[in-house]
Amino acid sequence: MASVDHDPLLLLRGSIASSSAIIPTTSADTSSDSSAEVPLSQATHLLFTHPTRVAIPIDAPTRFVSNGSPVDLRSIYFAWLNHEVAIPEYNASATKLNEELGGAGAVHKFAFVERLELIAWLEGGSEESEYIKPLAGERDGASATGAASTTAASKAAPTVSARSGRGTLDPRLAQIYNGERRMGDRNSVLRGIKPTDFSHVRKLAQAFMSKKPGPTAITNNPALAINQKPARRPDPIILLSPSASSLLRMSNIRDFLENGKYTLPDHNASISVLHVSRMMKDIDPNRPMRFILVEGPEQFKPEYWNRVVAVFTTGQAWQFKNYRWSQPTDLFRHVLGIYVGWRGEQPPESVRSFGHRVLATSVDKVRDPAAAGAENRWRDREVVESIWKAIEGNMRSKGWRKDAAPTSI
């Protein structure tokens, strides 16, 4: 390995710090007359002008190690020349230089982390790197520095061993360095002085991984319940009728329930889910409650049925084929039913047979869809309010609260 005075990395770092010239040449002669600068692909030596003029072979190995092999000086210097460009541009430039070199050599392409470490060390941002081997006498110099610091207060020693090969230190400064706390960087902070075997942890963890504790183990422990966050209340669900004869479909239900205005449905609309917000003062007076509207339970999980608060129906029994309760008499014992028809027309016999658990309401017919406006639909608001009042009363009876939903209905 090169000595301190002729170490390529230290010469390059010192030249960068002093902004001194670094000249690629074709000669080992350090005289100014023969040190003509040539392209990096033609250079055989790198001439450093600080602190003295020294020419180092450009293919000389350095203390920077990548994948177990030392990286040559040409690759180090080329990486510094391109330290401000992005990785793709750096790789493209390295490929171009390798083509110019032919078989005379090759530029090492640094990995992303290696490049960061190298540039930081060359700029003086870090004093050590896991990729840079220490100088031959550096460790011995560290012990010599500690010995010299014990006598530095009584007498001044002329020199102290080099610190990272960058010259000598004053004994008083060495004493200060000796009292500093050694700080790790992101590469060394997780590395200890010896490897630790954690295989025993796997045996200890098997007892916890083989059987998951049930939810009652937490809820029955009052000490743990104090620090638990309250569970978020799930959104209630309203089911609509997918029948083409239904007056309320996904295309017009939101305007009806939120704005109190009935419009004819658009049977060509393809909407799978809607959200409607409504203040339920008897359940949560501080914030509106969000309802999920869907036409069918195809995507339901079993626990979703406990969140169903209303079912809009036209009286057709096939609507309930895939429901949890496929019989209307069973369904409307658990969930509120709602029928919306035209004013002046009797509800179907099937709706009347469902009993009092189905709220039958009616709206005015739309005589002229093109001329229909809010001014002649004022009775729609009364119908909407009666529907929401029935839904709220049913929810309170089933156990809905501002912070919880019923676990079964």
Side-chain angles (χ1 to χ4, degrees):
M1 192 65 67
S3 64
V4 173
D5 294 337
H6 292 81
D7 180 71
L9 288 181
L10 292 180
L11 288 172
L12 181 57
R13 181 176 182 174
S15 298
I16 293 171
S18 61
S19 300
S20 301
I22 305 171
I23 306 171
T25 68
T26 57
S27 173
D29 190 357
T30 59
S31 63
S32 58
D33 296 335
S34 59
S35 57
E37 184 171 356
V38 297
L40 198 58
S41 59
Q42 302 175 12
T44 60
H45 290 74
L46 210 58
L47 177 62
F48 297 95
T49 59
H50 176 84
T52 59
R53 298 177 68 87
V54 178
I56 304 293
I58 203 164
D59 56 355
T62 66
R63 292 183 289 118
F64 194 98
V65 178
S66 175
N67 297 323
S69 301
V71 180
D72 60 283
L73 179 58
R74 180 193 289 112
S75 300
I76 299 288
Y77 180 60
F78 180 77
W80 169 252
L81 293 178
N82 294 272
H83 72 281
E84 293 183 348
V85 303
I87 288 291
E89 299 176 19
Y90 163 72
N91 289 333
S93 300
T95 302
K96 182 180 179 181
L97 180 56
N98 284 334
E99 293 175 354
E100 295 174 355
L101 288 170
V107 173
H108 174 77
K109 295 180 181 179
F110 290 93
F112 179 75
V113 176
E114 293 177 344
R115 187 166 176 248
L116 286 180
E117 288 278 329
L118 174 63
I119 300 305
W121 189 86
L122 290 176
E123 290 179 331
S126 63
E127 294 300 325
E128 58 184 18
S129 170
E130 62 174 316
Y131 299 102
I132 300 178
K133 289 185 176 181
L135 290 169
E138 191 169 88
R139 291 176 181 173
D140 297 336
S143 59
T145 302
S149 63
T150 58
T151 59
S154 58
K155 61 179 180 178
T159 59
V160 180
S161 295
R163 182 170 176 260
S164 298
R166 291 186 295 145
T168 58
L169 290 178
D170 185 274
R172 291 169 297 179
L173 189 58
Q175 185 178 12
I176 295 175
Y177 285 155
N178 190 50
E180 288 181 348
R181 179 183 177 185
R182 185 64 174 265
M183 303 296 292
D185 57 14
R186 59 186 175 84
N187 292 311
S188 62
V189 68
L190 296 179
R191 293 179 173 84
I193 58 175
K194 61 180 181 179
T196 304
D197 182 14
F198 290 100
S199 59
H200 66 285
V201 178
R202 180 178 298 178
K203 297 180 181 179
L204 297 176
Q206 285 179 350
F208 300 94
M209 297 174 64
S210 59
K211 183 175 67 175
K212 294 183 178 179
T216 55
I218 296 179
T219 55
N220 293 338
N221 191 334
L224 295 178
I226 295 176
N227 296 325
Q228 278 189 321
K229 287 186 176 180
R232 178 182 176 273
R233 180 195 63 205
D235 295 331
I237 300 173
I238 297 176
L239 284 168
L240 303 184
S241 171
S243 173
S245 62
S246 177
L247 300 187
L248 292 171
R249 301 294 302 277
M250 297 293 283
S251 58
N252 65 343
I253 186 67
R254 173 182 283 174
D255 199 21
F256 182 69
L257 292 180
E258 285 191 339
N259 303 323
K261 177 183 175 182
Y262 178 79
T263 57
L264 293 176
D266 180 7
H267 296 287
N268 295 323
S270 58
I271 306 173
S272 59
V273 63
L274 286 174
H275 296 95
V276 172
S277 296
R278 170 79 179 188
M279 286 294 298
M280 295 292 187
K281 295 183 179 179
D282 290 342
I283 299 176
D284 189 350
N286 300 320
R287 56 178 178 172
M289 185 175 292
R290 191 177 76 159
F291 292 80
I292 300 174
L293 279 66
V294 293
E295 282 191 342
E298 289 77 12
Q299 305 298 325
F300 272 26
K301 296 180 180 179
E303 61 269 21
Y304 285 7
W305 283 104
N306 295 327
R307 297 160 52 186
V308 177
V309 297
V311 174
F312 283 81
T313 181
T314 58
Q316 297 165 297
W318 59 264
Q319 175 185 348
F320 317 123
K321 181 180 179 180
N322 297 323
Y323 282 23
R324 178 180 177 181
W325 303 281
S326 57
Q327 294 298 321
T329 52
D330 293 334
L331 172 66
F332 296 121
R333 275 202 298 264
H334 297 86
V335 182
L336 173 68
I338 301 173
Y339 169 79
V340 178
W342 294 124
R343 194 178 303 278
E345 297 181 1
Q346 287 291 331
E349 178 62 30
S350 57
V351 174
R352 294 198 297 270
S353 68
F354 294 160
H356 70 280
R357 288 291 297 164
V358 177
L359 173 67
T361 61
S362 57
V363 296
D364 294 327
K365 288 187 176 181
V366 179
R367 302 299 179 182
D368 185 2
E375 64 278 4
N376 57 7
R377 304 298 307 179
W378 58 271
R379 300 177 73 176
D380 294 344
R381 173 66 69 176
E382 296 179 354
V383 177
V384 172
E385 291 299 325
S386 66
I387 292 174
W388 280 120
K389 183 177 180 180
I391 292 176
E392 186 174 10
N394 178 71
M395 291 176 65
R396 284 193 296 110
S397 67
K398 295 296 184 182
W400 283 87
R401 301 193 305 274
K402 66 178 182 179
D403 56 353
T407 57
S408 64
I409 58 173

